[in-house]
Every structure is written in C-alpha cells, then in structure tokens.
Amino acid sequence: MRSNIHLTNSIASKQGSYSVGLTALVIAIVVLINLIVGQLPSQVRQIDISTNNIYEITDTSRELLDGLDRDVTFTVLADKSSTDERIRNFIDRYSALSSHISVEWIDPVLHPSALTTYSADSDTIVVSCDDTDRSTTVAFSDIINYDEMSYYTTGSATESEFDGEGQLSSAVNYVTTDVTRNVYYTSGHGESSLSSSVTDLLGKSSLTLTELNLMMASSIPEDCDLLLMDAPANDLSEDEVSMLTDYMDGGGHLFVILGSDVSQTPNLASFLETYGLTSAGGYIADMQRSYQGNYYYIFPELSVSGDMANELQSDMVLLVNANGLVEGTPSRDTITLTPFMTTSSSGYAVTEDGQSTQGTYVLGATATENDSRLTVISSESLIDETITSQFTNIENLTLFVNSVTANFDDIENLSIEPKSLQIEYNTMQYTGLIGLAAIVGIPVVFLLYGLRRWMKRRKA
C-alpha cells in the first residue's frame, strides 16, 4: 500500500515538474517574442484602430510611391520629441512605403540657421527632389486642421481634419514632376463660387485655377487646358456661345455644371443639344434610388471605369434637386456621347405644375470629338459644400475630381480628402503583452490550452 502511494506521489511530482518546465518554456518564448516585437519599427508596432483610419494610406498614394523612381527627402524642421505623435507616426508610415523617401529631422532651436537655409518656418516639412531641383513645404497646420468657427460656440478652436496623406502625396508628386495644367473657371453669369474643399483638391492634383470673365474676354486663353463653368444662373450671349464653339473646335476641354434653373439658360442649352443632351424640363425624382424616401435626393447609377473610377469605393454619389437630361442624337457623326451617371428606370421628371414623366434620365455625361471633350453634370449639388460636408460618406468630390483629371493623360487624381477628427481616434501601440497579444496572442492561447488538455489526459 505504501509502495503504491509512494509511486503515485512520484508520478505526480514528475508530472508537476514537467508542467512547470513547459510553463517556464512558454513564458520564455513569450518574453523573447516581446523583446523582438519591441524592436520592430513604429509603423509595424502601431495598429490603427481609429474610426476614420487617419493612418490608412490609400491605393492612390501607394501607386504613386510604387512608381517613384527619384529620391525625395523629407526635412522636418521641428523638435521630434515634442511633435504631435500623429504627425510623427504618419511620417514614419508614409516614408516606409518607398525606399526613395528619406526623412531627416532638424531641431530649429538647436540649428536656427536651418530655417534660413530652407526658407521655411518651424513645424514644417520641406519636401525636395535633387533630380528636378524642386521643393515645397507642408506645414503641420496643413496636416492637422482646426474648425475656427467652433471658437464661437466652445470658446476654443477644435481639431477638425487630418490631412497627412493628401498633403504629402501632393508634395511628392509636385517635386518629382513638372506637369501642371491650367483650369479657368468662368464668372459673369452668376456662377457658384468654388468651395475651398474643391480648390484644395484640384490643387493637390497639380491643377492651377484662374478666373475668366467671358463677358470681358475676346477669346479663351490659349493656355486653358480646361474651362470650368459652375452653375451659371444667367445665360451666355451668342458671342460667348461662339467663343465656346471655337474653343471646342480647336480641341478644347469644357466642364459644365448646370444651375438650378436651366430654363434661364436657353443659349447654353442649345449648345449642349449639339452634343446630344436635351433638358428633360423638370427636377428629377427617383423612386428606387433615393435617400430615406426623399425622392429628390438621388443616388445615381454610375457607369465609370478607368481613371473615372479611381478611389470610388461605394459608388454612393448624392445629387439634390437635379436637372434631368435626355440622351439624344449629336448633331455630328464625329461626336461620341457617353452617359456615366443616370437615374434608375423609375426616374421621374417633375415640372413645377406637378406634371411628371417616367424614364431613365442622364445626370452626368461626356461627349468627345477628335481631341475635344465635354463633361456635363446636371446638378451643382455634386460639389456643394453644404451637401458634401453634411454627408461625409458620399463620394461626390472623388467623382468630380476624377471627371476633371480624366481630361488629361499626364495628370492623376491625387486629391485625397482629409480624414475627420470630429470623432475619437486612437493608436494601439506595443506595450508588453498587449502588443504581443495583438501579434501572436492567438497562437500562444492555443498553445497554453493544448498544454492544459495534455496534462489532464496525462493525469487521467
């Protein structure tokens, strides 16, 4: 009896020692992995769990950096230790995507001459390329934007947007290429003013904006690569229509956004009919594709591909009180008309007296002839800031800039919109076992679980 008890205790003792040994081995593995993980670069150790993914880098920027064949230097004129952590992290993540990008931090307090050397202020990133001898600057204040209007309600300006990717990609593109395009936008007909959101996005794609009053011009400038007409309230004169006709005959590119009342612009309507686009004579409702039963808030059906589809993730574009266009036959066989935005078959053109006509209506189209290109959007709400700021998930501005840059073979849409900071963001960073759990937590849990079951079977 004593022998059996001694044997049992001996077995239990050996099993206990073996269990302790395995546990110590697992702990040693955990500690070792922790040490290895702790040495990884910050862009690897940090996991973006922000609601709007402020550290996420789009395919547009990744393609830009993948194709980079010139060396670019980011000279950061700031004290790195006191720089906003989000900016530091983003610079690390962004620069790690290309071996052609190098980063140098210079503390202007310790090296005040650097500000004179680079002709820049503190808290600025100087982006430069020796091959092109071009440089530009990105201020920290351009990356983290503030809502100044909140000062009047809260007593302080609050953070509104994070624009790290948009600013850096635009800067890299600028210093590595010398291609720019001139966009003239018309005035003198009660046109809508382009919002700062629109002008900033166009600027990121190397497009230069210049105002052009057609009433005061004898012709459209020769360096006009695209003429933009944003929602004219008043009609063009016959001389101005002739000016547009001459411009298009010479291979011009024209972008027209229709105003709220197309009946007030018959000369412009006649010009568009040449390209096969006729007014439907009313505002458009859609019984199938509308916002929460508001039939005049339309989500059009998109037929886009190539550059026009760049960075469109959901194809959710919202138009409000849109004019309808009917696809007809262009006046010349050499004109090719291609609608890219339409209603569903349950679209209705509704007149002011309540008359409605069902059909599929064109809300956006392009017409090409030889080297010329006409783009028409049926509603100014596509780029209306009251719409685009209220509905933050829609892709109106992406489609708009795609439609603009599609006019050029040598310009890409690098108009990356800022990410909102109005909601909480965070970065889960490696902190001992927390960082380990994020990387190897599941395998370790299964290992411990397996050891426990194995020990139970041994005891049994």
Side-chain angles (χ1 to χ4, degrees):
M1 183 70 175
R2 258 181 220 175
S3 177
N4 290 338
I5 293 174
H6 178 74
L7 179 60
T8 301
N9 289 339
S10 177
I11 293 173
S13 177
K14 289 181 179 179
Q15 289 177 343
S17 299
Y18 195 63
S19 175
V20 170
L22 286 176
T23 302
L25 177 61
V26 171
I27 292 174
I29 293 174
V30 167
V31 171
L32 178 61
I33 294 176
N34 256 349
L35 293 174
I36 294 173
V37 171
Q39 300 303 312
L40 293 175
S42 61
Q43 63 267 22
V44 176
R45 290 186 282 115
Q46 294 163 344
I47 301 174
D48 185 7
I49 59 172
S50 62
T51 306
N52 278 325
N53 298 322
I54 63 172
Y55 299 121
E56 180 182 353
I57 298 175
T58 63
D59 291 341
T60 297
S61 292
R62 291 179 182 274
E63 290 174 5
L64 170 69
L65 297 178
D66 285 343
L68 201 61
D69 57 1
R70 290 171 169 166
D71 292 338
V72 175
T73 302
F74 291 177
T75 305
V76 190
L77 302 176
D79 176 12
K80 187 174 183 178
S81 62
S82 62
T83 296
D84 190 295
E85 182 182 10
R86 293 164 294 180
I87 294 178
R88 293 201 316 265
N89 291 339
F90 191 83
I91 292 174
D92 287 345
R93 285 173 173 267
Y94 191 92
S95 59
L97 293 177
S98 175
S99 60
H100 286 283
I101 296 180
S102 60
V103 180
E104 179 185 9
W105 287 79
I106 300 177
D107 187 343
V109 175
L110 300 178
H111 306 280
S113 62
L115 300 180
T116 302
T117 301
Y118 291 97
S119 300
D121 297 325
S122 298
D123 296 336
T124 296
I125 306 169
V126 180
V127 182
S128 60
C129 176
D130 290 339
D131 289 346
T132 61
D133 197 28
R134 303 189 77 180
S135 66
T136 188
T137 59
V138 177
F140 288 178
S141 58
D142 292 330
I143 295 177
I144 298 179
N145 302 322
Y146 286 80
D147 179 10
E148 300 296 340
M149 294 301 295
S150 65
Y151 180 84
Y152 298 100
T153 57
T154 65
S156 63
T158 58
E159 295 178 348
S160 58
E161 295 176 326
F162 185 87
D163 196 20
E165 182 185 0
Q167 293 293 331
L168 291 183
S169 290
S170 176
V172 169
N173 181 63
Y174 173 79
V175 301
T176 56
T177 181
D178 57 359
V179 177
T180 58
R181 291 293 186 175
N182 298 315
V183 176
Y184 284 79
Y185 60 95
T186 65
S187 62
H189 310 88
E191 288 91 337
S192 295
S193 299
L194 297 174
S195 68
S196 59
S197 298
V198 170
T199 57
D200 289 346
L201 289 174
L202 293 178
K204 288 178 179 178
S205 292
S206 299
L207 299 173
T208 302
L209 292 169
T210 305
E211 182 179 349
L212 176 65
N213 190 320
L214 290 180
M215 295 290 289
M216 301 173 61
S218 58
S219 63
I220 296 172
E222 291 184 1
D223 66 345
C224 177
D225 297 307
L226 176 69
L227 183 65
L228 174 61
M229 188 174 296
D230 182 17
N234 304 315
D235 202 11
L236 305 179
S237 67
E238 292 183 1
D239 289 339
E240 289 173 310
V241 171
S242 296
M243 195 184 305
L244 290 183
T245 301
D246 292 340
Y247 174 66
M248 295 299 285
D249 288 344
H253 293 177
L254 175 63
F255 198 118
V256 177
I257 301 176
L258 297 178
S260 58
D261 189 356
V262 295
S263 65
Q264 299 299 313
T265 55
N267 286 338
L268 177 59
S270 177
F271 174 81
L272 297 180
E273 287 178 7
T274 302
Y275 292 88
L277 293 171
T278 304
S279 173
Y283 289 110
I284 301 301
D286 196 319
M287 308 299 287
Q288 287 186 6
R289 300 181 59 83
S290 60
Y291 173 73
Q292 298 183 354
N294 297 298
Y295 299 129
Y296 294 96
Y297 283 59
I298 301 171
F299 291 108
E301 294 183 350
L302 301 184
S303 301
V304 293
S305 60
D307 292 340
M308 288 279 284
N310 184 32
E311 288 299 327
L312 287 175
Q313 304 295 329
S314 65
D315 286 353
M316 297 302 288
V317 170
L318 180 64
L319 296 184
V320 178
N321 295 334
N323 294 284
L325 296 169
V326 177
E327 181 180 359
T329 303
S331 62
R332 297 184 293 273
D333 294 339
T334 51
I335 297 175
T336 301
L337 177 63
T338 307
F340 63 84
M341 188 163 54
T342 66
T343 67
S344 70
S345 58
S346 296
Y348 286 83
V350 183
T351 60
E352 290 186 1
D353 58 6
Q355 298 296 317
S356 61
T357 305
Q358 184 177 0
T360 300
Y361 295 97
V362 176
L363 302 174
T366 60
T368 57
E369 183 181 24
N370 300 323
D371 294 329
S372 68
R373 181 185 179 97
L374 168 68
T375 305
V376 181
I377 302 294
S378 70
S379 174
E380 60 184 315
S381 62
L382 181 73
I383 59 173
D384 189 322
E385 194 164 27
T386 59
I387 301 296
T388 58
S389 61
Q390 181 180 358
F391 299 91
T392 57
N393 292 329
I394 61 176
E395 299 181 309
N396 287 32
L397 294 180
T398 302
L399 178 63
F400 168 70
V401 180
N402 283 352
S403 302
V404 171
T405 56
N407 285 271
F408 314 114
D409 294 332
D410 50 0
I411 292 288
E412 294 184 12
N413 181 1
L414 292 174
S415 306
I416 300 160
E417 296 185 50
K419 297 179 175 66
S420 174
L421 290 176
Q422 294 297 324
I423 51 181
E424 290 186 0
Y425 66 90
N426 197 1
T427 298
M428 186 168 71
Q429 191 158 337
Y430 166 79
T431 53
L433 291 177
I434 294 178
L436 173 66
I439 298 176
V440 295
I442 292 177
V444 170
V445 168
F446 274 101
L447 177 60
L448 293 173
Y449 176 72
L451 285 172
R452 183 179 178 185
R453 294 200 55 166
W454 180 81
M455 293 301 301
K456 284 184 176 180
R457 286 197 301 268
R458 292 277 296 182
K459 288 180 180 179

